[in-house]
Amino acid sequence: MTTPQLAPGDALFLREALELALRGHGLVSPNPLVGAVLVNGDQVVGRGFHTWAGVKHAEILALEEAGGDARGSTLYINLEPCSHDGRTGPCARALIEAGVRRVVCAIEDPNPLVAGRGLRLLREAGVEVQIGGVLAAEADKLNESFVHAMRTGRPLVTLKAALTLDGKISAPDDNRGWITSEQARAHVQQLRHSSDAILTGIGTVLADDCLLTDRTGLPRSRPLLRIVADSQLRIPPGSKMAVSCRADVLVATTSAASPERRAALERQGARIEVFDGSGGRVDLRSLLDWLHREQYRSLILEAGSKLNWAALEAGIVDKVFLYYGAKILGGMQSLPMAGGAGRRRRADAIRVHHLTLHSVAQDLGDLRAGSRVNLERPLAANGRLSGHIVQGHVDGTGEFLALEPLGLDNWWLKIRAPGDLDRYLVFKGSIAIDGISLTIASLEAGVLGVTIIPHTIENTSLGSHRPGDRLNLECDILAKHVEKLLGRLDVKPELTVDKLREAGF
C-alpha cells in the first residue's frame, strides 16, 4: 500500500512531536526518544515526551494533559505507539479508550515486541492511521542508536579520534598538550553524554590514566558504562578508573587473566566479564552481544591505534567521528589513528560512506572577506504564505551561549536574549536568529533554546559561532502586532473577550 503524503498541517505537528522528543535527550535509554502532540480541530490539547525516570510514555502524558479533549483528536508521534505490557500498559489501547480518532506517526517501532502491532491494533479499532511521509528519515535519525540496536541486535558503535592533519593521534616521546581545541574537547563530552557506554584499551589506561567520564553535568537515565579491554587484567587498582568506580566500570578480559587480580578489582566495585577471542585477545563481537543483552544501545570507542584497528577489522564500527587539529606531527614513529596489520592493497581499504563536515573549533571572529552569511530567497508573488513570518529587521542582539549536540547529528543552540525582548518570546513561538527562522524549544530566565537539524548546521553560519558572539534576533511580527493592538486598551490587566474584540482581535 502506498503511503499517502502528509498534509502541510500534519507535517508541522509531526515536526513538533520530533522536537518534543529531543527534550528527553540523555534521559530515555534504553528506551527511544518519543514526543507526542494531540490536536483537536486546529488546537493543540496535549503534549508529552518520554523520560525513563518518568516511566509514563509520551502519548500517555499527552492524553492526561488533554483530558476529555482527546476524544476525536489526532495524535502526532515520531514512533509507533507500543502494543505490549512493560513498565506501562499498551499505549495503543489507551489511545483507543480515550477516543483518539486518528494517529499520524513517522515510523514503525523496530522493537520486535511492537513492529507494527500497535498500528494494527489501532486500525482494528477503527482509528485512522497514517505512517511515514517526509519526516520518516529524520525520525529514524532521531533514534539512530535504538533503531540500529533493534534491527541488528547490537549497539551502535562510533569510533572517535582526535588527529593531526597527517592522521596521527600520538607522538613517540611526549604527548603532553592537546591535538584539538577546547571546544572540540567539550564536544566530545557531549558525544559521551549521548552514549550509553564507552570503550578503551588497557594501553590507553596505562599511558594516560584516564577517567573516561561524562563531564557535561547533564542528567542521565543511567551512568555511562566505562569499559576497558584488558586481556590480562593489567589495570592498576590505583588507576583513576578503578578508584572512581561506582559500579560503572566493566573490564572485558579473557580466561587467561589472574584470578587474584580479578578478585581485587571486583572488591573495588568493577564488573569483570570474560570474552575469549583469537590470539588471546578480547573478542569484541562477544562484548557487543553482552552489551545488547544488558540493553546498552550505543557505544563510543575512544582508544589507541591497536584497538581502533581491531574494531575496524572486526567490522563492528558503524560510525567514525574524527576531530582534526591544524597540526602536523610527521615521522614514522608517530601513531596513526588505526595501526595493526592494516590492509596491504589500496583496493582492500575499508570504505567510509556518507561523509559530513562539522565546524567545531569556532574560530571565526567578526565578519570579514570570505566569511559566510545567511541568505534567503524572497517570497515570490505567486508563492504560498506559510510557516514563520520574517521581515529581515533586527529587534536586538543575543549572546551565543552554547551549541551542544543532541545525539550525533542534531544540535541544541542556547542564546541569552536581551531583557527588552522578553515580552515577545514564548515557548513554541518563532524567533529569527541571524535571519534563520526557528522555533523556540525552551525558554527559561531569558535563555532560549532552539533545536538545529544537520541541514541548518551545514548550510548556514550558525555552526561557526563561539560563546560570547552576538547574534541578530528578530521576534515574531505577530507578537508585535498583538502588542500594538493591546496598546489601545485602557485597562490592560483585566482582559475579556469583548475588550479584545474592541481592540481589533
Side-chain angles (χ1 to χ4, degrees):
M1 182 177 66
T2 303
T3 302
Q5 291 295 314
L6 297 180
D10 286 341
L12 288 173
F13 288 125
L14 192 55
R15 179 166 294 283
E16 183 176 350
L18 266 71
E19 293 175 352
L20 268 176
L22 278 170
R23 297 179 67 182
H25 175 64
L27 303 173
V28 298
S29 184
N31 285 354
L33 291 160
V34 183
V37 178
L38 273 173
V39 179
N40 203 328
D42 58 355
Q43 297 296 315
V44 174
V45 295
R47 295 183 176 92
F49 65 93
H50 174 60
T51 63
W52 178 258
V55 181
K56 292 180 181 179
H57 289 188
E59 48 269 62
I60 301 303
L61 294 171
L63 286 174
E64 290 180 351
E65 183 178 310
D69 288 333
R71 185 161 299 278
S73 67
T74 296
L75 172 73
Y76 297 91
I77 189 166
N78 61 295
L79 190 69
E80 172 187 4
C82 68
S83 57
H84 63 292
D85 286 293
R87 294 202 302 162
T88 66
C91 291
R93 180 62 61 190
L95 295 169
I96 294 167
E97 293 173 354
V100 172
R101 177 184 62 85
R102 181 170 174 251
V103 171
V104 179
C105 116
I107 58 172
E108 284 189 5
D109 190 339
N111 186 342
L113 296 174
V114 186
R117 295 181 182 88
L119 299 180
R120 185 162 60 250
L121 190 63
L122 291 167
R123 289 190 177 104
E124 289 172 353
V127 178
E128 180 185 346
V129 173
Q130 189 170 352
I131 183 169
V134 294
L135 297 180
E138 193 169 331
D140 242 5
K141 195 73 172 176
L142 177 71
N143 277 307
E144 183 179 29
S145 58
F146 178 82
V147 170
H148 176 88
M150 292 298 106
R151 290 175 178 169
T152 66
R154 60 181 183 83
L156 181 79
V157 178
T158 300
L159 188 160
K160 166 263 164 185
L163 292 79
T164 60
L165 292 178
D166 55 338
K168 307 295 186 179
I169 64 171
S170 178
D173 295 326
D174 187 345
N175 280 293
R176 287 176 295 181
W178 304 95
I179 291 177
T180 56
S181 65
E182 181 181 347
Q183 292 91 338
R185 296 193 295 277
H187 186 261
V188 171
Q189 292 300 318
Q190 294 294 338
L191 286 187
R192 291 183 184 180
H193 183 69
S194 300
S195 301
D196 290 342
I198 184 169
L199 170 64
T200 195
I202 182 59
T204 299
V205 174
L206 294 175
D208 300 340
D209 194 17
C210 49
L211 273 171
L212 292 186
T213 50
D214 172 4
R215 294 190 284 277
T216 61
L218 299 173
R220 301 177 60 99
S221 57
R222 56 180 173 176
L224 177 69
L225 180 65
R226 298 177 286 163
I227 308 171
V228 182
D230 182 5
S231 60
Q232 298 292 326
L233 287 185
R234 292 188 293 150
I235 180 172
S239 64
K240 290 179 180 178
M241 285 191 71
V243 171
S244 65
C245 176
R246 300 294 182 271
D248 61 345
V249 172
L250 168 70
V251 183
T253 190
T254 67
S255 55
S258 162
E260 292 77 18
R261 291 178 181 176
R262 174 171 184 157
L265 289 168
E266 287 177 333
R267 284 194 295 270
Q268 289 184 276
R271 183 166 183 173
I272 314 297
E273 294 289 340
V274 172
F275 305 103
D276 283 324
S278 62
R281 294 187 295 270
V282 171
D283 186 272
L284 296 178
R285 286 191 171 273
S286 296
L287 170 59
L288 292 190
D289 291 340
W290 182 90
L291 288 171
H292 182 69
R293 290 194 299 272
E294 296 291 317
Q295 298 190 64
Y296 288 94
R297 308 302 187 202
S298 56
L299 171 71
I300 183 170
L301 174 61
E302 293 189 30
S305 188
K306 290 182 179 179
L307 186 55
N308 284 344
W309 174 252
L312 289 166
E313 182 72 356
I316 66 167
V317 177
D318 303 297
K319 305 185 74 170
V320 179
F321 212 121
L322 304 179
Y323 296 82
Y324 281 93
K327 301 172 183 178
I328 295 175
L329 272 174
M332 300 299 292
Q333 293 179 304
S334 295
L335 293 179
M337 182 269 287
R343 297 289 171 85
R344 305 290 295 180
R345 303 188 309 163
R346 290 182 184 176
D348 297 331
I350 297 172
R351 297 185 180 275
V352 180
H353 306 280
H354 310 300
L355 296 178
T356 303
L357 298 178
H358 297 281
S359 175
V360 175
Q362 316 281 345
D363 287 328
L364 294 182
D366 295 331
L367 284 177
R368 59 184 184 271
S371 294
R372 298 181 68 190
V373 295
N374 302 316
L375 302 177
E376 182 178 3
R377 297 186 183 92
L379 181 68
N382 61 346
R384 180 177 178 273
L385 184 63
S386 64
H388 302 168
I389 302 174
V390 178
Q391 293 180 300
H393 301 306
V394 176
D395 295 315
T397 62
E399 179 188 358
F400 180 99
L401 298 178
L403 184 64
E404 303 168 347
L406 285 172
L408 295 180
D409 293 282
N410 295 298
W411 301 77
W412 183 259
L413 173 60
K414 293 181 180 179
I415 297 171
R416 179 175 288 110
D420 58 344
L421 298 187
D422 278 351
R423 62 189 187 276
Y424 301 131
L425 304 177
V426 63
F427 175 64
K428 290 302 174 187
S430 64
I431 184 81
I433 303 172
D434 276 358
I436 304 162
S437 186
L438 299 162
T439 299
I440 298 174
S442 69
L443 184 62
E444 184 176 358
V447 175
L448 62 93
V450 296
T451 53
I452 308 293
I453 62 175
H455 174 84
T456 305
I457 284 290
E458 294 161 12
N459 293 281
T460 72
S461 64
L462 288 184
S464 65
H465 292 288
R466 60 175 179 261
D469 284 354
R470 307 301 300 181
L471 302 178
N472 296 322
L473 304 180
E474 180 187 354
C475 298
D476 190 346
I477 186 175
L478 294 180
K480 289 176 274 188
H481 182 60
V482 167
E483 181 183 54
K484 179 180 178 181
L485 294 178
L486 287 175
R488 300 177 184 175
L489 299 176
D490 294 328
V491 184
K492 295 180 182 178
E494 299 177 2
L495 294 180
T496 65
V497 173
D498 290 337
K499 289 181 178 178
L500 289 172
R501 285 172 178 162
E502 291 172 3
F505 287 89

